Amino acid sequence: MEKKQGFFSALRDEVVRGLSPSRSRARSRSVSPARSNSPMSALTWGRKNLTGGAGGGGGAGGGYYLAQPEQLIGRSGSLRPVMEGPDPDEGGGGGTIGESKRLGSGLGHWVKGQLSRAPSVAATAAYRRNDLRLLLGVMGAPLAPIHVSSSDPLPHLSIKNTPIETSSAQYILQQFTAASGGQKLQNSIKNAYAMGKLKMITSELETATRTVRNRNPSKAETGGFVLWQMNPDMWYVELAVGGSKVRAGCNGKLVWRHTPWLGSHTAKGPVRPLRRGLQGLDPRTTAAMFAEAKCIGEKKVNGEDCFILKLCTDPETLKARSEGPAEIIRHVLFGYFSQKTGLLVHIEDSHLTRIQSNGGETVFWETTYNSSLDDYRQVEGIMIAHSGHSVVTLFRFGEVAMSHTRTKMEESWTIEEVAFNVPGLSLDCFIPPADLKSGSLTDSCEYPQEERGKNNTLALSAAHRAKVAALENGSFEDHRPVWHTDV
């Protein structure tokens, strides 16, 4: 059935009539179809019309055919023109340059200009890069709520003059320590090493007017990480995902982070453990973290009956972590310990930050981490979780309801190697970088920021603001917001 002739069909027929068969075979090129809303429909059009279709002819007598699969232009429904040999218009055709110039070279340049209106691959890469910054900034190297030392002994189980919530938590921790390998074996560990693979993806974006879900697993960013720990209270992590690397460390006195887009900065507040170590890699620090927790009840998690331990960050620590217009209001940690095995199978923490701009509205950011720990296996007598999955939710809300946004991110990881008491590991491995900047960054700087320069008189305070004015039009395909992420 004959289709209605379009612009590119007419252009193809005109070029075919002006070329001899021998000339066509020497300089065959594929013509891009008219723009379509769907890349797949455009690709189907090309297969039907460029491989032996009417007008151009196939085989020896035809001049036009699809020599190789056409490349999809990022975030566009059009197809990139593909040429089998050097383009004579670019000076690579030898003695045929003059002939090509006589055959409508001006029209060819006009067609190229029309096709160049499609969004460039560089723009697509920029969106992907900023999304990756958000993933790495929030999920790369988050810290635990409070300062603990792995060398601190667990409190002795006490029932007399002790609230039932506290004594129950102490008993649960005793069971957890025993199930993880025992306190004696854990105290013999001087340093540890872990290496694993991970996958990150921004799975959902919700605004006041729309919700966009990303169900394409090919958009996930893959990579790996290496974690080193050493007593007392020293750790170092390198995490490389999607071509970007985040490094963070602690020498026992300060915590620092380094990203390619911001450089090295110290973390505000007291020295705190790395949350990634609490995800089934460091049972001794995990037990010390919940030493002051309370048992608040029971809950079934993934089919397992669990005890729930709750830990609230004290006001002094919250105040020390706050800076400028960013105030940490609360940070709560929940641990779910299996009643059957005694091991930690789920960990959840949530912190709320209030950002008060000078003379502007008050914005709140609530960050919630949910991590499931699986595949516990013994490594040198210590039970280590070898896989897990985290879901992180960023919820922004304030006085204006239309500015409320919710971003959901996910991370899956597997542990490839674990070793304890590694020979040769020294204090030199935990030295902070030489370019460490004195200006510290608070937890609020993990959030997207769009209006950092509103008040020039408060340039330092503006670094902590988190406003995403463009999120109302956000999506994962054509209108994704440009995230500005600080770590």
Side-chain angles (χ1 to χ4, degrees):
M1 182 175 181
E2 185 77 12
K3 291 186 178 181
K4 185 177 180 181
Q5 192 177 39
F7 167 74
F8 283 99
S9 299
L11 177 62
R12 180 192 62 193
D13 296 339
E14 184 69 24
V15 175
V16 170
R17 285 195 295 269
L19 295 177
S20 64
S22 60
R23 170 68 179 147
S24 299
R25 286 191 297 270
R27 186 176 174 262
S28 62
R29 76 168 75 206
S30 60
V31 182
S32 297
R35 294 189 180 185
S36 168
N37 293 329
S38 171
M40 292 306 298
S41 63
L43 185 57
T44 304
W45 188 98
R47 289 175 178 172
K48 291 182 179 179
N49 292 273
L50 296 180
T51 56
Y64 277 67
Y65 60 95
L66 189 62
Q68 57 184 353
E70 295 186 313
Q71 302 174 7
L72 290 177
I73 298 178
R75 299 170 62 243
S76 172
S78 61
L79 297 178
R80 183 187 301 276
V82 179
M83 189 172 183
E84 291 182 346
D87 190 350
D89 293 340
E90 296 299 330
T96 63
I97 298 180
E99 188 175 357
S100 68
K101 292 297 181 182
R102 290 194 299 270
L103 184 62
S105 60
L107 181 61
H109 288 299
W110 180 85
V111 173
K112 291 180 180 179
Q114 297 301 310
L115 294 176
S116 65
R117 291 183 179 181
S120 64
V121 177
T124 304
Y127 289 134
R128 178 183 177 186
R129 181 173 61 252
N130 284 287
D131 285 344
L132 181 60
R133 288 184 179 183
L134 177 66
L135 290 170
L136 293 178
V138 176
M139 297 193 297
L143 303 180
I146 63 174
H147 164 73
V148 295
S149 178
S150 57
S151 58
D152 293 341
L154 290 178
H156 294 287
L157 181 60
S158 176
I159 299 178
K160 186 178 181 180
N161 299 328
T162 302
I164 184 63
E165 298 87 355
T166 302
S167 60
S168 298
Q170 293 175 357
Y171 175 78
I172 294 170
L173 290 179
Q174 296 286 349
Q175 298 300 313
F176 168 72
T177 301
S180 301
Q183 189 169 4
K184 181 178 180 181
L185 181 59
Q186 293 179 14
N187 290 339
S188 66
I189 296 176
K190 304 304 179 185
N191 60 61
Y193 153 81
M195 184 271 290
K197 298 178 181 179
L198 51 82
K199 182 182 296 185
M200 294 180 175
I201 188 172
T202 304
S203 58
E204 184 175 320
L205 176 64
E206 180 181 346
T207 66
T209 58
R210 62 188 302 186
T211 299
V212 182
R213 293 179 175 87
N214 187 0
R215 304 185 185 276
N216 188 359
S218 63
K219 294 182 179 294
E221 303 287 353
T222 59
F225 71 93
V226 177
L227 172 63
W228 296 90
Q229 291 182 313
M230 184 174 179
N231 292 336
D233 307 328
M234 290 178 285
W235 53 265
Y236 174 77
V237 63
E238 278 192 9
L239 189 144
V241 177
S244 295
K245 180 185 290 186
V246 172
R247 296 182 292 127
C250 175
N251 62 353
K253 299 180 180 179
L254 60 88
V255 176
W256 58 270
R257 304 182 212 178
H258 174 88
T259 59
W261 51 90
L262 281 178
S264 302
H265 292 271
T266 58
K268 183 69 174 176
V271 171
R272 290 175 286 156
L274 185 68
R275 188 188 188 275
R276 195 170 294 275
L278 304 180
Q279 297 171 178
L281 294 176
D282 189 355
R284 181 169 56 173
T285 302
T286 302
M289 178 67 59
F290 286 98
E292 302 298 328
K294 295 182 179 180
C295 181
I296 61 173
E298 305 176 11
K299 185 178 181 180
K300 186 180 291 291
V301 178
N302 297 328
E304 287 194 62
D305 294 324
C306 298
F307 295 111
I308 307 175
L309 268 60
K310 178 182 178 181
L311 173 68
C312 296
T313 306
D314 58 277
E316 291 76 13
T317 301
L318 294 177
K319 184 177 180 180
R321 291 169 52 186
S322 303
E323 184 179 18
E327 179 186 1
I328 312 296
I329 298 178
R330 61 170 171 82
H331 194 166
V332 184
L333 179 67
F334 297 91
Y336 296 80
F337 295 83
S338 172
Q339 297 182 11
K340 180 179 179 180
T341 64
L343 298 173
L344 179 66
V345 297
H346 192 85
I347 184 172
E348 174 185 347
D349 63 302
S350 174
H351 62 84
L352 179 65
T353 304
R354 177 173 59 197
I355 302 177
Q356 178 67 56
S357 59
N358 187 30
E361 65 169 326
T362 302
V363 178
F364 294 89
W365 280 98
E366 185 178 26
T367 309
T368 304
Y369 296 81
N370 282 281
S371 301
S372 298
L373 316 179
D374 302 304
D375 192 16
Y376 271 94
R377 284 181 266 164
Q378 276 196 0
V379 178
E380 301 180 22
I382 306 296
M383 295 296 291
I384 299 297
H386 281 70
S387 66
H389 182 79
S390 291
V391 177
V392 181
T393 303
L394 280 176
F395 182 41
R396 177 193 190 272
F397 59 96
E399 300 171 0
V400 182
M402 292 299 294
S403 66
H404 296 181
T405 61
R406 189 195 313 271
T407 306
K408 182 179 177 181
M409 296 166 284
E410 298 185 41
E411 176 191 14
S412 299
W413 72 88
T414 56
I415 303 301
E416 302 290 327
E417 295 180 2
V418 178
F420 301 110
N421 295 329
V422 179
L425 189 63
S426 65
L427 299 177
D428 297 339
C429 300
F430 304 93
I431 297 177
D435 60 343
L436 190 63
K437 299 178 182 179
S438 58
S440 61
L441 296 177
T442 63
D443 297 338
S444 63
C445 296
E446 297 171 349
Y447 307 136
Q449 301 182 21
E450 286 291 335
E451 302 177 5
R452 298 177 60 179
K454 263 193 170 183
N455 193 341
N456 295 330
T457 61
L458 295 177
L460 181 61
S461 299
H464 304 283
R465 295 174 187 171
K467 294 188 177 182
V468 190
L471 280 178
E472 293 183 0
N473 296 324
S475 73
F476 292 104
E477 296 295 337
D478 297 329
H479 305 284
R480 283 190 293 180
V482 179
W483 301 101
H484 298 282
T485 313
D486 295 344
V487 180

